[in-house]
Amino acid sequence: MKYLLEARSLVAGYGELTILNGCDITVEPGSISVIVGANGAGKSTAMKAVFGLLEVRQGSVKFEDQDVTGCTPQRLVELGMGYVPQVANVFPSLSVEENLEMGAYLAASLTEEGLDRVYSIFPILKDKRKQAAGQLSGGQRQMVAVGRAMMMKPRLLMLDEPTAGVSPKVMGDIFEIILKVNESSVGVLMVEQNARQALAIADTGFVLQTGQNLYTDTGEALLANPEVARSFLGGKH
Amino acid sequence: MEYADLLNAGVYFINKGLLNAFKIGSIYALGAVGITLVFGILRFAHFAHGDMMTFGALIAFAGTVILRNLGINTEPIPTGLLALPLAVAATIILALIIDRHVYAHFRASKSPPVVFVMTSIGVTFILQGIIRLVGGTGDRQFFFTAVSNGESIREDKGRWLVKFDWLRDHFDGFTQKLVITMPQLWLFIFTAVALVGLHYFLNHTRTGKAMRAVSDNEDLARISGIDVGRVVKVTWVIAGTLAAIAGTLLAMDTQYKPILAFNLLLPMFAAAIMGGIGKPFGAVAGAFIVALAETFAVFDWRPIAGYLFADRFDMTASMALVPAEYKLAVPFAILVLVLIWRPTGIFKGQVL
Ligand SMILES: Nc1ncnc2c1ncn2[C@@H]1O[C@H](COP(=O)(O)OP(=O)(O)OP(=O)(O)O)[C@@H](O)[C@H]1O
Ligand SMILES: [Mg+2]
């Protein structure tokens, strides 16, 4: 198996609107892939299309060499994928623990073990487990969102801007967590605004523009690419 | 003023005021919880809810007639109650059929909420037609004399009367009684059991939590692997069950009529909105607030004033705040006030 996730020539959009114009996204087993690009480039749309939330009009999505194009999110969760959307990624009126339990809805038997695992990664959540997720701080909410997606022990974790709206300190923590998750050979596909930090930990990077791959390379190579640096990384490096 | 008068006034207040408010409040609560759950999960105002209640009552009535004619009599348990499981089952099936063949179509095409609301009004008209076709346009009593094998069986409403005989010996002139009918007693029991059960279900079972999750954020629920279609079905099962119970017990306590519960739609929606749309226990609180307000707005204080200040007042006119004909204006006024001052309801629900 060369790729854990292999999405090829995706064409998708909202209603009449076409946003993705044949973009490719891949994740190798146990590696980290990062998608960067300007606002509105179609990064979130690519994630949604891969996760079966949008109709894929053309192209294909394969997970562990199995064609999953057009599968429901429920099926993808069963197969071993987890997804944290960019916005509205917790159940605000449910308690932290209930949020996490929902992550293991398809396999109740994994709940206990999943809770232990998530609480050991995010100890703060254990203290807040009875609190409604809507009352948490932005960073804590992100932890709940990531924790929820990890309850079923996915082999691929898809994160859409996991560090949006968190302090630099928590941002560092979240990157560390992602690396830690990745160490246990979980593949990670993430979209990041903090492109420089993200590409630094990426095995593969994708730069999207108007729904197409502008650059596809190793994280290191993209960081070193002056074109990419000028247009997408901001400042000097 | 004597102690007996004080007692008379107090018992009259409980009997004609509080008990009435609790009775109608229980009916509103069972209906409003269904409305608010349907709104939370399916995100539209289900106007056909009242007719689902009437439908349940009609099936219960049909079942009662059949049971009675079979010679079955289980006094003191009213025969209507034996027919209740049938009514519940039929109402659940009706709700599921309507969902599958009407609402599901609009869900699949991602129609805006207003389309659902208009559709549910259409469903209301269809149900009202079916109800009249099947049950006729007249009123029907759940308690009647039936003839089985040439033997006539009579069942009456069965009153649970508290006469305070032990107090009467001590207070001369204490004459008021507390009267609870059998259907009312069962209504209180069913309401309490249903609400406790619902609370347990929503907070302690996987399916119940999944329901709250879908109500919170449907997309995220799907992403988490929750089967939203199944949650929708469970919602209709619960809403149908509560509707059938409320409709049947209301009809047993008063009488069955084709517009039995359509008239309750306004107060039930007022209760659901007041409690914060999507919050079942907010709806319960809203239901009892609306019921208390409505009951005491049209409550005739004259007998109480008569007991307490007989010598000081002219007691000829009614002493209700609002004439009984305008009872429906009370929940309407509450609804308008809530929408102006607190559209999210007292418990911060969604906005209609
Ligand atoms: N639900 C939607 N309906 C219609 N158009 C949408 C919807 N969501 C996004 N779009 C449009 O699709 C385009 C791509 O949006 P997308 O969310 O994929 O961008 P993005 O790359 O994730 O941007 P950002 O960095 O701001 O998150 C935008 O032009 C946006 O307006
Ligand atoms: Mg985005």
Side-chain angles (χ1 to χ4, degrees):
Chain A
M1 182 172 73
K2 183 160 189 323
Y3 294 112
L4 179 64
L5 178 81
E6 185 179 12
R8 293 290 179 196
S9 324
L10 291 183
V11 177
Y14 306 91
E16 302 278 280
L17 211 64
T18 302
I19 303 293
L20 298 181
N21 300 297
C23 79
D24 288 339
I25 306 287
T26 56
V27 183
E28 284 170 34
S31 76
I32 299 180
S33 288
V34 169
I35 307 175
V36 297
N39 293 121
K43 305 182 294 294
S44 298
T45 307
M47 300 284 263
K48 288 185 219 165
V50 166
F51 210 74
L53 294 163
L54 288 177
E55 190 201 346
V56 176
R57 291 187 206 140
Q58 279 170 45
S60 66
V61 182
K62 281 188 192 162
F63 179 66
E64 297 181 329
D65 289 341
Q66 183 182 349
D67 189 355
V68 294
T69 322
C71 280
T72 59
Q74 190 185 349
R75 178 88 190 105
L76 298 178
V77 172
E78 270 168 5
L79 288 174
M81 293 168 69
Y83 169 51
V84 180
Q86 181 173 358
V87 290
N89 52 19
V90 298
F91 301 108
S93 78
L94 268 60
S95 70
V96 167
E97 188 148 307
E98 285 170 340
N99 264 274
L100 297 177
E101 281 172 26
M102 289 301 107
Y105 179 80
L106 285 170
S109 56
L110 296 179
T111 307
E112 284 302 309
E113 188 222 313
L115 286 175
D116 287 345
R117 189 153 29 87
V118 172
Y119 289 150
S120 72
I121 304 175
F122 305 109
I124 179 84
L125 295 187
K126 189 164 191 175
D127 303 331
K128 305 236 168 213
R129 66 183 186 277
K130 295 272 176 249
Q131 199 167 325
Q135 296 168 357
L136 298 177
S137 76
Q140 292 164 343
R141 230 181 325 212
Q142 282 298 355
M143 295 179 198
V144 173
V146 174
R148 196 212 84 248
M150 288 182 48
M151 285 293 289
M152 295 263 288
K153 245 189 161 169
R155 291 184 299 287
L156 173 66
L157 190 59
M158 296 169 54
L159 308 165
D160 196 344
E161 301 201 18
T163 61
V166 305
S167 68
K169 156 95 178 67
V170 176
M171 187 179 103
D173 291 351
I174 290 182
F175 273 77
E176 239 166 67
I177 288 155
I178 291 166
L179 284 170
K180 201 156 128 194
V181 168
N182 179 243
E183 262 168 32
S184 50
S185 76
V186 176
V188 176
L189 172 62
M190 70 170 167
V191 173
E192 255 306 329
Q193 289 297 347
N194 304 296
R196 197 176 293 280
Q197 289 93 326
L199 287 175
I201 62 165
D203 296 296
T204 315
F206 303 87
V207 181
L208 289 198
Q209 192 170 52
T210 57
Q212 283 172 315
N213 294 51
L214 192 60
Y215 301 98
T216 305
D217 213 328
T218 62
E220 221 173 314
L222 287 175
L223 279 174
N225 182 331
E227 289 284 312
V228 174
R230 196 162 31 116
S231 321
F232 299 99
L233 301 181
K236 289 220 161 78
H237 60 114
Chain B
M1 184 178 60
E2 298 183 22
Y3 285 118
D5 288 332
L6 212 60
L7 282 172
N8 276 328
V11 172
Y12 174 84
F13 178 79
I14 292 170
N15 194 28
K16 288 267 150 52
L18 287 183
L19 258 179
N20 246 336
F22 272 95
K23 181 193 96 183
I24 199 71
S26 299
I27 302 277
Y28 290 169
L30 293 175
V33 165
I35 287 172
T36 216
L37 283 177
V38 169
F39 191 96
I41 304 295
L42 293 123
R43 283 160 236 285
F44 72 94
H46 186 231
F47 283 116
H49 209 79
D51 297 295
M52 266 169 50
M53 290 164 79
T54 312
F55 179 83
L58 177 60
I59 300 295
F61 177 75
T64 306
V65 172
I66 293 168
L67 287 173
R68 207 73 68 64
N69 284 314
L70 288 173
I72 293 169
N73 187 359
T74 48
E75 287 221 61
I77 296 175
T79 315
L81 226 51
L82 299 185
L84 187 56
L86 179 72
V88 167
T91 311
I92 289 173
I93 292 170
L94 174 81
L96 291 175
I97 288 177
I98 294 174
D99 184 67
R100 167 123 180 239
H101 294 286
V102 184
Y103 302 135
H105 167 73
F106 295 101
R107 267 204 302 284
S109 60
K110 296 216 169 14
S111 301
V114 65
V115 171
F116 280 94
V117 172
M118 296 320 285
T119 307
S120 84
I121 293 175
V123 169
T124 292
F125 290 133
I126 293 170
L127 281 184
Q128 293 205 349
I130 292 172
I131 285 166
R132 283 174 175 78
L133 274 177
V134 176
T137 54
D139 299 351
R140 288 161 190 281
Q141 303 294 332
F142 267 74
F143 297 92
F144 55 88
T145 307
V147 182
S148 163
N149 300 330
E151 204 183 323
S152 76
I153 313 168
R154 218 190 103 67
E155 190 184 20
D156 66 33
K157 213 169 264 185
R159 276 156 207 285
W160 188 52
L161 225 60
V162 187
K163 288 186 184 142
F164 302 104
D165 291 339
W166 77 100
L167 275 174
R168 279 186 191 161
D169 299 340
H170 299 285
F171 298 101
D172 250 359
F174 175 39
T175 53
Q176 281 288 341
K177 299 182 288 260
L178 252 180
V179 186
I180 305 177
T181 66
M182 214 28 114
Q184 283 166 11
L185 196 63
W186 283 103
L187 172 64
F188 296 144
I189 293 171
F190 273 111
T191 307
V193 171
L195 296 182
V196 170
L198 184 68
H199 188 267
Y200 178 83
F201 171 76
L202 288 175
N203 291 300
H204 298 283
T205 69
R206 222 158 63 90
T207 308
K209 289 178 196 175
M211 246 177 101
R212 285 163 52 218
V214 172
S215 172
D216 254 17
N217 187 340
E218 183 179 334
D219 287 336
L220 189 62
R222 273 181 214 284
I223 291 165
S224 305
I226 293 171
D227 183 347
V228 176
R230 192 169 152 269
V231 167
V232 167
K233 287 200 188 83
V234 172
T235 307
W236 284 118
V237 168
I238 296 173
T241 304
L242 299 181
I245 292 175
T248 302
L249 288 164
L250 176 63
M252 281 169 70
D253 188 44
T254 55
Q255 59 195 344
Y256 167 79
K257 50 189 181 205
I259 48 154
L260 179 74
F262 181 68
N263 289 339
L264 306 184
L265 216 48
L266 179 62
M268 289 190 309
F269 267 95
I273 291 169
M274 182 169 199
I277 280 287
K279 308 251 158 199
F281 294 93
V284 173
F288 284 103
I289 293 172
V290 169
L292 282 167
E294 186 182 292
T295 306
F296 284 102
V298 299
F299 184 73
D300 187 2
W301 297 90
R302 188 170 35 172
I304 291 184
Y307 285 127
L308 301 184
F309 319 107
D311 32 3
R312 265 171 277 166
F313 283 97
D314 168 29
M315 296 297 159
T316 47
S318 161
M319 289 179 68
L321 288 171
V322 176
E325 313 81 280
Y326 293 109
K327 191 162 150 186
L328 204 58
V330 177
F332 188 71
I334 293 177
L335 185 57
V336 170
L337 293 180
V338 168
L339 286 176
I340 291 173
W341 276 309
R342 220 178 149 111
T344 53
I346 36 183
F347 295 100
K348 283 252 170 78
Q350 300 157 15
V351 182
L352 261 182

